[in-house]
Amino acid sequence: TSNIDWQCPLQRVGESGWRCVGQLRAAGSKPQRLALDFSPQVTAIDLVVGRSRIGYRGLASTPDLSSVRLDKVPVAWLKDFLNGLWAEGRWTSGQSDGEIDVLAPKAGPFELNADLNLGNIGLETPDGLLAAAALKGRMQLKYREKGVRQEVDSKFTVTGGELLFESVYVLFPGTPVRINLQAQRDRGAAWRLA
């Protein structure tokens, strides 16, 4: 367990909103800035750690949709999230900027749409099937889950880095290379390329 302490002055914003900004302290780490804004229309959270920032926004008018904004966020912060999408992947380095939208209706499919700029991404799998170093580029990812069916549609515009897949080694140039991948599976089964 970790001890977390966050205290802030609660301030009125307009007629129906509130704002609270204060230092977040967790055992073994430096204090970080955490801001919370809430009103009947919106809930927003902003965490700043050094030069990195994660922001969350949820609107009352679209309660099934949540948006997350990443600015210079280390991949290490996202490991649990990424492992939920791809358990075999081990993210070793890099950072990301961009938007992630999550649509989670009570009835209907779960969807995640991400548009991320990736910098110096390192990745490997335990079986050695895949390894990447210093990958850079833009990743557009659509993930959909309905019942047991999971689908991924990924567009990656690579602008540098290295990739090893089985016995194939690729050194990407600084000019854009587009990689499109579509896959699907039933939960628990192996992924199939579509």
Side-chain angles (χ1 to χ4, degrees):
T1 62
S2 65
N3 294 323
I4 296 177
D5 178 46
W6 179 53
Q7 298 181 21
C8 61
L10 187 60
Q11 300 172 329
R12 189 75 141 140
V13 177
E15 291 186 26
S16 60
W18 295 92
R19 179 168 177 79
C20 190
V21 179
Q23 295 294 314
L24 176 71
R25 292 176 176 81
S29 66
K30 296 178 184 177
Q32 313 301 335
R33 180 187 171 275
L34 179 64
L36 170 63
D37 292 277
F38 57 96
S39 71
Q41 296 80 28
V42 66
T43 299
I45 302 170
D46 192 53
L47 174 64
V48 177
V49 179
R51 297 177 348 125
S52 303
R53 177 182 167 268
I54 294 181
Y56 165 85
R57 185 173 175 89
L59 299 175
S61 61
T62 53
D64 297 339
L65 177 66
S66 299
S67 296
V68 177
R69 171 77 191 157
L70 307 176
D71 292 306
K72 296 180 178 68
V73 172
V75 170
W77 289 14
L78 305 173
K79 280 186 181 179
D80 288 339
F81 169 73
L82 294 169
N83 286 343
L85 294 177
W86 185 34
E88 295 81 18
R90 302 291 180 257
W91 306 86
T92 59
S93 63
Q95 69 178 22
S96 62
D97 298 291
E99 297 277 342
I100 300 171
D101 292 327
V102 178
L103 182 62
K106 290 180 183 176
F110 170 86
E111 295 182 29
L112 179 141
N113 295 302
D115 190 352
L116 302 172
N117 289 309
L118 305 176
N120 295 313
I121 299 297
L123 167 66
E124 59 189 33
T125 56
D127 60 6
L129 179 67
L130 177 70
L135 279 181
K136 299 175 186 143
R138 179 180 180 197
M139 170 72 74
Q140 295 170 291
L141 177 74
K142 294 183 180 197
Y143 173 83
R144 180 181 164 109
E145 185 174 308
K146 184 172 184 177
V148 298
R149 175 59 53 113
Q150 297 172 306
E151 300 172 347
V152 173
D153 183 357
S154 173
K155 294 176 177 71
F156 188 23
T157 303
V158 186
T159 56
E162 302 174 78
L163 178 69
L164 177 64
F165 181 73
E166 291 186 338
S167 61
V168 177
Y169 171 77
V170 179
L171 176 61
F172 289 102
T175 55
V177 174
R178 288 176 181 76
I179 301 170
N180 295 340
L181 175 71
Q182 294 179 331
Q184 57 185 253
R185 75 174 180 173
D186 290 333
R187 192 175 297 120
W191 284 97
R192 295 178 312 279
L193 296 178

